[in-house]
Amino acid sequence: MQSKCAWCESQNINESKETVYWELPDGTRAIQINETPSISCKDCDMVYQSDDLVKEIEDQLFLIDAKKIGKEINYEKLMEQPRLLKRNYFDFSSYDK
């Protein structure tokens, strides 16, 4: 877990599981993802997901058949969905330079 809030830099943060809303990569709709690992700051009341988790969710949504997902899904179930590709070949940030 991060040691301080990404917004106000307070160290008064906790891990939590939150409901988030995510637009699918094709832009056709948004889905609700329940019990998503999150960070909650008790000082500024911000609730957010780490950059690594955001990338993980984005990659998973890009690599699965999102048409098989209803309007909502649990985070763990989302991450268990079978992938159509092994990795996101369009994410050039992950290639070694």
Side-chain angles (χ1 to χ4, degrees):
M1 184 173 94
Q2 296 175 342
S3 61
K4 62 182 179 178
C5 175
W7 299 93
C8 73
E9 298 188 356
S10 167
Q11 293 182 345
N12 195 11
I13 58 175
N14 290 334
E15 293 180 358
S16 62
K17 300 229 182 221
E18 305 292 333
T19 297
V20 298
Y21 300 89
W22 224 275
E23 184 177 354
L24 296 179
D26 64 4
T28 57
R29 63 188 173 107
I31 60 169
Q32 177 177 311
I33 307 173
N34 299 317
E35 298 185 34
T36 304
S38 302
I39 300 165
S40 302
C41 179
K42 292 185 176 185
D43 288 335
C44 72
D45 294 324
M46 186 60 79
V47 178
Y48 60 97
Q49 294 70 49
S50 69
D51 291 341
D52 290 339
L53 188 82
V54 168
K55 181 171 178 5
E56 196 176 307
I57 292 171
E58 292 286 333
D59 283 347
Q60 183 69 353
L61 288 172
F62 186 77
L63 297 171
I64 64 172
D65 184 357
K67 293 176 185 148
K68 293 183 178 179
I69 298 174
K71 292 180 180 183
E72 68 179 270
I73 190 168
N74 180 287
Y75 170 79
E76 293 294 330
K77 295 287 182 198
L78 172 65
M79 300 315 286
E80 292 171 358
Q81 296 294 308
R83 291 181 168 193
L84 301 173
L85 297 170
K86 290 182 183 180
R87 62 183 294 235
N88 183 350
Y89 294 100
F90 298 101
D91 178 9
F92 301 111
S93 67
S94 63
Y95 289 107
D96 290 330
K97 294 179 181 172

